[in-house]
Amino acid sequence: MPATPVAFAWTVRSKDENIRDFLVQHMALRRYQALSDLDHTELTRLLTDADDQARELLATLGFFNPALTWHHDKTAAPNASGHLGQVILDVQTGPAARVTQVQWQWQGEMTDPTSGVVLQSIIEKQWGLPPGEIFTQSAWDRAKNKALRQLVAELYPWGRLTQSQARIDTLNNQVSLTLTMDSGPVVRLGELKISGATKYGSQQVERLARLSSGQAYRQNDLLEAQQRLVLSGFYDSVFISLDPEGEQAQAPVNIEIKESLRQRWQLGVGVRSDSGPRLTAEHTHHSIPGLHWRAVSRVAVDKDLQSFGVELLAPPDNSLWRWNTSAQLQRQQQVDVMISSQRWRAGRIQMAPRIDRSYFAQYDVATQQNNPLGAVESWSGNFAWAWRDFDSLLFPTRGLGLGIELGAGTSLGQVQQPFARWLAKGLHIWPLGERSGRIALRASMGSVVIQDTRNIPTTQLFLTGGDNTVRGYAFNSIGIDLGNGQIGAGRYLSTGSVEWQHPMRWQGTTTDWETAVFADVGAVANAFHLLKAQWSYGVGARWRSPIGPVRMDLAHAQALNKWRLHLSVGFTF
């Protein structure tokens, strides 16, 4: 393919490749290269303007005294159409300007020493461009936006940055910053103005939102109310905001919702990294006639797993507790063993953005291929609790999550034995800095206490391995070695993972992509002292998609000496 004709060749030379690429990309000379009718007089004028533009661009990066040398070789013709020769810019940026001081001025009700001084101190201490830092326009903009977000996050939603100034001493490469922030009044929530509630009523919206008139404004309270409404499944979209036309000190809250259809079908085709192509179908009825509960039916089919489930869920009460009952039938290939199982459950559940609780009675029955005992049954009473304290429930970058499941019951049939089961898990995301990413530490541990594990369904025991546990191994392929290549579930489980997640940057700006380096470990055994670690390690990529993080991991299973690709979507804890 022939090269695109240009009027002149254009090159930037600099010791810093980022500076070179930045100028080449943003300077107007690149655009004028395509003008075939350009002459020497016009090019000379453009080079004068280009010098000013280059200095302005370098100033945005903190270089206010660059040495720029232009070369215009009129005899050098890059091709037949390059009749104006070659233009070369040599760049010596000189030292970057650094911030020497930051002066704050505060206005509004946050100047009250009893309420606003703490927030003032937090904003000033966490200021993103402190003395000693290199001044750039992008860093200046980011720091101001962060300070404003901190101001309006609690109590002061009408806060604004009324004035900002960067005084630059170009001779000494120093910058002095001045900011004036007006908090406005302390705001409390007023009445709820709900629009769009027709099929399911305004009372249900109020129960799920849990926003009461008179409570202090917190931006996070509005976001959590929005999440509760969306996660309920009754609404396709929810938008919650303060009414700017209302009273400033006690602002009304606008809740705009779009209700879900009373019935909905969802069909899906996908690929699981552990079992290949997967077909799914789901039907939701949001208000069963007469009962007014929500019913969700699901079917999923792939090479290793075929399942059908039905769940009935009552509307939430004033404390967000909901009655629920469910049934699930499943046929699963676990390594070389086929297991058919049923699970029936009834109880109550409370789901919130930060804390989930549930208690329920459960009946299990499982039949394992070539098992002379046939179907094995049990019933149990259970309690589950999960707590999340992450900065974002969709794309967390810091925080802690803890969860525990407790159960006790007895096996059924000719041999009846009591048993107890517990499982604990945790996730800690530890930030290392804006440019350094974060460390994610994950761990889980559990056990089943019973005299003989053969007398309870294998679904009450433990297996591990797969996308969200020990990558590099197939789903639930780590367990007890039964001989002849067969793997069985065990009474003890232990897993752990450490992962470094690092943001990818392009031309100084953070993108929606991240890289990951990780090591996973897991073990299953019938005795605690027999737990034998199965290690894996690998690298991965993360993409912040509209539906949540998409994870792509390539992991090496140490015990198998094999690599495996894992794909998954979303963040769950």
Side-chain angles (χ1 to χ4, degrees):
M1 184 175 180
T4 303
V6 294
F8 59 91
W10 157 237
T11 304
V12 176
R13 297 193 300 215
S14 173
K15 293 181 179 179
D16 189 331
E17 292 184 1
N18 293 327
I19 296 292
R20 181 194 65 198
D21 295 341
F22 178 75
L23 291 176
V24 168
Q25 180 179 4
H26 291 92
M27 290 189 67
L29 279 180
R30 183 179 183 180
R31 185 171 68 252
Y32 291 124
Q33 282 183 283
L35 299 180
S36 59
D37 58 347
L38 200 67
D39 59 29
H40 284 287
T41 302
E42 292 171 323
L43 180 57
T44 301
R45 178 181 58 81
L46 290 176
L47 293 181
T48 301
D49 295 339
D51 186 81
D52 294 336
Q53 186 189 24
R55 294 181 186 277
E56 291 174 0
L57 289 170
L58 290 170
T60 66
L61 301 180
F63 301 105
F64 295 97
N65 291 303
L68 305 182
T69 305
W70 293 87
H71 307 278
H72 182 194
D73 186 352
K74 300 179 181 179
T75 63
N79 55 46
S81 62
H83 57 280
L84 299 182
Q86 185 175 24
V87 175
I88 300 174
L89 171 60
D90 284 317
V91 179
Q92 294 183 1
T93 60
R98 295 184 179 272
V99 176
T100 56
Q101 63 174 342
V102 182
Q103 296 179 321
W104 295 88
Q105 296 178 0
W106 300 95
Q107 299 173 351
E109 289 192 19
M110 74 177 303
T111 56
D112 183 348
T114 61
S115 60
V117 172
V118 173
L119 181 57
Q120 288 183 31
S121 176
I122 291 174
I123 293 175
E124 292 180 9
K125 287 181 179 178
Q126 296 182 2
W127 171 246
L129 199 56
E133 289 290 315
I134 294 176
F135 176 87
T136 67
Q137 185 63 48
S138 59
W140 174 227
D141 292 339
R142 284 197 304 271
K144 289 188 290 184
N145 290 335
K146 177 184 176 182
L148 184 58
R149 287 196 302 269
Q150 290 177 300
L151 173 63
V152 303
E154 295 189 26
L155 299 179
Y156 308 105
W158 313 124
R160 57 198 179 99
L161 179 63
T162 59
Q163 185 180 10
S164 63
Q165 185 179 31
R167 293 188 298 273
I168 301 167
D169 180 354
T170 57
L171 294 178
N172 298 306
N173 294 303
Q174 296 179 347
V175 182
S176 176
L177 306 178
T178 302
L179 302 102
T180 302
M181 303 194 80
D182 185 351
S183 70
V186 172
V187 173
R188 295 188 177 276
L189 303 186
E191 64 173 325
L192 302 184
K193 295 183 176 180
I194 301 170
S195 61
T198 56
K199 293 196 290 283
Y200 312 122
S202 296
Q203 187 179 39
Q204 179 168 285
V205 176
E206 294 174 357
R207 286 178 177 176
L208 290 169
R210 303 186 72 181
L211 298 173
S212 57
S213 179
Q215 78 179 71
Y217 166 83
R218 291 179 65 246
Q219 188 179 61
N220 203 49
D221 288 343
L222 269 61
L223 293 174
E224 290 185 355
Q226 186 169 295
Q227 289 174 329
R228 280 193 293 271
L229 287 163
V230 172
L231 291 174
S232 72
F234 290 100
Y235 311 101
D236 287 335
S237 64
V238 180
F239 182 69
I240 301 179
S241 63
L242 295 184
D243 187 349
E245 303 298 328
E247 181 184 348
Q248 281 204 330
Q250 189 155 355
V253 180
N254 293 327
I255 303 180
E256 304 171 49
I257 61 175
K258 180 182 179 183
E259 294 179 320
S260 300
L261 296 175
R262 198 176 294 274
Q263 295 192 63
R264 181 180 63 189
W265 279 95
Q266 286 182 299
L267 301 176
V269 178
V271 177
R272 295 180 64 191
S273 55
D274 289 314
S275 54
R278 180 179 178 85
L279 300 176
T280 61
E282 180 176 305
H283 174 259
T284 301
H285 196 304
H286 283 293
S287 185
I288 300 175
L291 187 60
H292 302 299
W293 286 27
R294 184 174 68 192
V296 181
S297 304
R298 301 183 182 91
V299 176
V301 178
D302 63 30
K303 178 173 65 71
D304 295 333
L305 176 66
Q306 301 85 47
S307 67
F308 170 75
V310 177
E311 181 181 28
L312 300 178
L313 189 64
D317 62 18
N318 290 329
S319 299
L320 296 183
W321 281 100
R322 311 170 75 169
W323 289 101
N324 77 316
T325 183
S326 64
Q328 178 173 288
L329 286 71
Q330 185 170 283
R331 187 171 182 269
Q332 183 175 12
Q333 182 79 28
Q334 293 184 354
V335 190
D336 291 330
V337 179
M338 179 63 70
I339 297 176
S340 300
S341 64
Q342 298 179 37
R343 172 166 289 176
W344 302 78
R345 180 180 291 182
R348 300 189 77 196
I349 184 170
Q350 183 191 56
M351 298 182 65
R354 295 198 178 276
I355 297 179
D356 293 344
R357 302 180 182 91
S358 63
Y359 58 87
F360 51 90
Q362 181 171 296
Y363 167 78
D364 288 273
V365 56
T367 303
Q368 184 170 321
Q369 185 180 20
N370 299 325
N371 187 345
L373 296 178
V376 183
E377 305 168 273
S378 72
W379 74 265
S380 59
N382 300 268
F383 172 77
W385 174 87
W387 172 77
R388 297 173 291 268
D389 185 21
F390 299 105
D391 58 344
S392 168
L393 296 180
L394 192 59
F395 302 103
T397 61
R398 67 173 68 230
L400 178 66
L402 299 172
I404 189 167
E405 300 174 13
L406 302 173
T410 182
S411 61
L412 302 175
Q414 293 182 347
V415 179
Q416 297 186 7
Q417 291 184 353
F419 71 92
R421 184 183 189 275
W422 66 273
L423 175 66
K425 61 181 181 178
L427 171 64
H428 182 210
I429 301 178
W430 177 31
L432 302 177
E434 183 178 357
R435 292 178 176 270
S436 301
R438 68 200 72 90
I439 297 292
L441 302 173
R442 187 187 297 266
S444 66
M445 181 171 287
S447 72
V448 176
V449 181
I450 189 173
Q451 184 176 353
D452 189 343
T453 58
R454 293 176 297 178
N455 293 318
I456 60 171
T458 186
T459 51
Q460 285 280 15
L461 300 172
F462 297 107
L463 291 165
T464 191
D467 297 344
N468 298 307
T469 54
V470 187
R471 288 159 287 189
Y473 296 86
F475 177 68
N476 279 353
S477 64
I478 298 177
I480 306 299
D481 186 359
L482 302 178
N484 299 321
Q486 295 185 342
I487 297 295
R491 70 168 76 202
Y492 288 94
L493 167 74
S494 180
T495 69
S497 175
V498 57
E499 180 172 295
W500 177 39
Q501 303 163 357
H502 188 272
M504 297 178 66
R505 302 175 67 85
W506 174 255
Q507 296 179 348
T509 303
T510 302
T511 68
D512 289 333
W513 288 87
E514 293 183 341
T515 59
V517 179
F518 59 85
D520 298 340
V521 63
V524 173
N526 275 332
F528 186 80
H529 68 279
L530 295 178
L531 287 171
K532 183 179 179 182
Q534 304 287 323
W535 286 92
S536 69
Y537 48 85
V539 296
R542 309 285 180 266
W543 174 49
R544 294 169 61 95
S545 79
I547 59 173
V550 175
R551 303 192 310 166
M552 295 159 279
D553 294 316
L554 183 61
H556 182 266
Q558 189 177 58
L560 305 177
N561 195 26
K562 291 182 179 180
W563 291 89
R564 178 180 287 267
L565 180 65
H566 295 268
L567 303 174
S568 59
V569 179
F571 169 77
T572 57
F573 179 81

